Amino acid sequence: MRVLAYLWALPTTLVGAVLALVCVAFGARARWVQGACEVHGGGIGRLVARAPAPFGFSAITLGHVILGVSAAELRRVRRHEHVHVRQAEVWGPFFLPAYVLASLWQGLRGRRMYLDNPFERQAYRAESRPDRKSAPP
Ligand SMILES: [Zn+2]
């Protein structure tokens, strides 16, 4: 079943893999952590870490690839990002369009496009809970 989950999420993972390769070309490091490829640091990581809102962020997950500004930030947000990994495994090739449409829908309703997005709400809920099944140890 895990192989199917990786295959189903592969279209999203490929987007992440392309971005990961660009980050690695600019000095980022990659490693396999809890079933996902974590990429952090390098020139792009430093640039994103210093970017003003809304362009700056700690990490972004695309399928089984998690791009983070630093190893420390990846540790801090790992539980949240792994919820997005699981979401990509459930939604497969529809994850990115569904995520974008969910954000747009929230915006059209006058809500916050990021924080009120149901995918983010699920991730933040998991992040605030003590260890659970949806959160890797
Ligand atoms: Zn998130």
Side-chain angles (χ1 to χ4, degrees), residues 8 11 74 133-134:
W8 183 236
L74 280 175
K133 189 178 176 188
S134 64

Side-chain angles (χ1 to χ4, degrees), residues 80-81 84 99 114 120 123-124:
H80 177 107
E81 299 306 324
H84 292 315
Y99 185 97
Y114 174 70
E120 291 301 335
Y124 280 106

Side-chain angles (χ1 to χ4, degrees), residues 44-58 69:
I44 295 175
R46 284 189 296 276
L47 193 68
V48 170
R50 281 189 242 128
F55 303 106
F57 56 87
S58 297
V69 297

